[in-house]
Amino acid sequence: MSITSKFIAAAVSASALSAFAAGALEKTECIAPAKPGGGFDLTCKLVQSALQEGKFIADPMRVTYMPGGIGAVAYNTVIAQKPDAANAIVAFSGGSLLNLAQGKFGRYTENDVRWLAAIGTDYGAVVVAENSPFKSLKDVMAAMKADPTKVVLGAGGTVGSQDWMKAALTARAGGVNPKTMRYVAFEGGGEALTALQGGHIHVFTGDAAEAGQQIKAGAKVRILAVMNDKRLTGDMASIPTAAEQGYDVDWPIVRGFYVGPKVSDADYKVWADTFAKLMATPAYDKLRNERGLFPMAMTGAPLDAYVKKQVAGYRKLAEEFGLNVVAAK
């Protein structure tokens, strides 16, 4: 190997997108656009296990971390520096799409990457402490209508985040001006749940699976409503939807992957076909359920259409709530 070749090899191996010249399923890498732990890490780890256990890849998938801007740093890095990294997939969530709609990913929009696969979903939820006087979502809304300053809502994320958006949508659906609601922002859902149990906030607008996992772990909280058009399955089957209680709030939290804009059609198809086969197996269902995600399997063009529709909807919502919006190129 020449000195130049050795230099290139060293530079490539040091990159977060190390083996971009390899085939799609060779020396695979999953980029979690955050620090270890949390939803992006969970998304990568789920697929890492599923691909390996299902023997879809020969070598274990490497998970790397690229925190910054809830996905913004990874998005910009992949597009600008490694747009043809065929063997690197990057995790995204519904929160990523909301940020894209608000221009929080810089100059790039939803049209600048190739949306690959949705591997599962969670749903928004309205959660209260176990000893809360609120027994239903109607109770919460009645109290907010009587005096919105006496009901303190909280979640992981500032104004404009998806958890804030869930609170604002719920308030609006109940005839309460979101500008009048009391909302406390926390670093994450874990902190918000702790505050809920301590009585520092009265209502947590979080994620159903997250709350469900915390309840199994001993958290003294109750889920009053899930934000889906129909009831969830399994342990959540007894929890009514917001719509059932008279409030039309639907908030899916998709989790999935994208690849760089210059990944070839052939490599993109290899990934899409692999995900389609993977998600059709009972083994994958088991792994997904263990991580608290609900079924949502979508690849290729259907996912691309779904993402574009979601971002367009988020732009409309952001405008309605007076938030910053950036149009697609």
Side-chain angles (χ1 to χ4, degrees):
M1 182 183 286
S2 69
I3 293 175
T4 302
S5 297
K6 286 180 180 177
F7 175 78
I8 293 172
V12 169
S13 65
S15 167
L17 296 170
S18 60
F20 65 89
L25 299 180
E26 298 173 13
K27 301 188 185 304
T28 55
E29 183 163 26
C30 184
I31 297 171
K35 295 177 181 177
F40 290 134
D41 195 12
L42 178 149
T43 307
C44 279
K45 294 285 180 59
L46 168 56
V47 169
Q48 179 190 47
S49 297
L51 287 169
Q52 188 68 24
E53 291 178 20
K55 301 191 187 315
F56 290 94
I57 54 177
D59 301 309
M61 171 175 269
R62 186 157 66 100
V63 176
T64 55
Y65 302 94
M66 196 179 290
I70 316 177
V73 170
Y75 205 80
N76 279 263
T77 299
V78 169
I79 295 168
Q81 299 179 24
K82 307 295 182 187
D84 56 352
N87 62 338
I89 60 176
V90 191
F92 79 91
S93 70
S96 309
L97 305 185
L98 180 60
N99 282 343
L100 276 169
Q102 296 179 60
K104 293 182 178 179
F105 280 12
R107 62 194 178 97
Y108 296 119
T109 72
E110 69 274 21
N111 296 320
D112 290 310
V113 299
R114 304 195 72 174
W115 302 99
L116 179 62
I119 62 164
T121 188
D122 198 354
Y123 296 94
V126 179
V127 187
V128 296
E130 198 171 67
N131 60 358
S132 170
F134 299 134
K135 304 303 180 187
S136 69
L137 183 55
K138 285 187 176 182
D139 290 346
V140 174
M141 296 317 306
M144 287 187 70
K145 286 196 80 170
D147 187 349
T149 66
K150 289 187 176 178
V151 181
V152 183
L153 296 93
T158 56
V159 172
S161 68
Q162 65 171 340
D163 281 356
W164 177 89
M165 195 70 81
K166 283 179 259 181
L169 286 170
T170 302
R172 189 174 73 174
V176 176
N177 184 343
K179 291 182 179 178
T180 66
M181 71 179 183
R182 289 181 65 189
Y183 177 85
V184 180
F186 295 90
E187 280 295 317
E191 281 189 17
L193 278 167
T194 299
L196 183 69
Q197 293 172 86
H200 304 294
I201 60 173
H202 305 129
V203 180
F204 169 52
T205 49
D207 304 342
E210 178 183 21
Q213 298 281 64
Q214 291 290 337
I215 290 170
K216 286 180 181 177
K220 303 296 183 182
V221 300
R222 290 183 284 115
I223 303 175
L224 298 184
V226 294
M227 299 176 183
N228 190 30
D229 57 358
K230 57 181 180 293
R231 289 199 183 197
L232 304 181
T233 56
D235 296 338
M236 302 278 181
S238 64
I239 300 170
T241 66
E244 279 180 66
Q245 299 176 70
Y247 308 98
D248 188 16
V249 183
D250 186 16
W251 195 271
I253 306 160
V254 62
R255 294 203 173 278
F257 300 97
Y258 64 85
V259 294
K262 294 184 180 179
V263 169
S264 70
D265 289 345
D267 286 329
Y268 179 84
K269 185 176 187 303
V270 167
W271 272 118
D273 290 349
T274 299
F275 270 108
K277 291 173 187 173
L278 171 71
M279 293 189 289
T281 64
Y284 177 76
D285 285 343
K286 181 174 181 292
L287 288 170
R288 188 200 62 241
N289 289 336
E290 287 172 354
R291 286 156 179 80
L293 292 180
F294 300 97
M296 183 180 185
M298 199 180 293
T299 60
L303 175 66
D304 184 76
Y306 173 86
V307 165
K308 305 293 173 58
K309 181 179 178 182
Q310 287 295 104
V311 176
Y314 289 150
R315 281 198 181 94
K316 184 179 177 184
L317 275 178
E319 285 178 350
E320 291 172 2
F321 287 122
L323 303 171
N324 184 59
V325 176
V326 172
K329 296 197 297 285

